[in-house]
Amino acid sequence: MKIAIGSDHAGFKLKETVKEFLKTSGIEVIDFGTHSEESADYPDFAFPVAEAVAKKEFDFGILICGTGIGMSITANKVAGIRAALCNDLFTANCSKEHNDANVLCMGGRIVGEGLAKAIVQTWLERKFQGGRHERRVKKIEEYETKAHSN
Ligand code: RB5
């Protein structure tokens, strides 16, 4: 499994923690920055990560800012991206099983290291359940296709 990860300054510390956690779990991680706690703009990291995931260069993306909101708003502008803001385990579960999320967003000012690792582990383990959920995800894809052909 190959994961693209990115953060702004507010998510930097948690990104480093998550990156190490993924590496020790044997997962390949490519870090799209930022590389310090110096102020940085979340779209500068969300767009490259989301585009790389949309192009299928990675299996999944993980984006961390202060709340996870800016990252999720930005990533969801990229066609094919289903970015889910999950600062708890229940939404981490549902975002995979129901929404087939391909980008996980978290808030570095919201979740601690232990919870973040549990969210990431759960999110990576869960599988899309298909069925009625597939019909709903397809409607999003159909909208994207129509919107982009206009
Ligand atoms: C940065 O201060 C903060 O606004 C950003 O990390 C994020 O939380 C935005 O959604």
Side-chain angles (χ1 to χ4, degrees), residues 10-31:
F12 171 72
K13 276 191 176 159
L14 191 60
K15 169 171 69 68
E16 296 303 297
T17 301
V18 169
K19 199 167 75 180
E20 281 319 301
F21 175 66
L22 292 169
K23 282 182 181 169
T24 55
S25 308
I27 293 170
E28 190 182 349
V29 198
I30 302 295
D31 187 350

Side-chain angles (χ1 to χ4, degrees), residues 65-145:
C65 60
T67 56
I69 295 171
M71 287 298 196
S72 56
I73 290 173
T74 309
N76 277 316
K77 300 290 178 199
V78 175
I81 292 302
R82 292 176 298 280
L85 172 52
C86 304
N87 286 322
D88 63 81
L89 289 169
F90 182 69
T91 47
N93 264 312
C94 292
S95 75
K96 267 305 205 52
E97 292 183 348
H98 294 194
N99 311 110
D100 199 17
N102 49 14
V103 173
L104 168 66
C105 301
M106 291 186 292
R109 293 174 177 160
I110 311 281
V111 294
E113 291 187 358
L115 178 55
K117 288 181 200 171
I119 289 171
V120 168
Q121 186 162 0
T122 295
W123 194 78
L124 292 176
E125 281 171 3
R126 291 297 178 275
K127 300 274 177 275
F128 183 47
Q129 286 179 343
R132 68 189 189 281
H133 303 298
E134 180 135 37
R135 185 178 70 236
R136 294 159 186 165
V137 169
K138 277 218 167 82
K139 288 188 178 187
I140 301 171
E141 288 170 353
E142 281 163 15
Y143 175 85
E144 277 181 337
T145 306

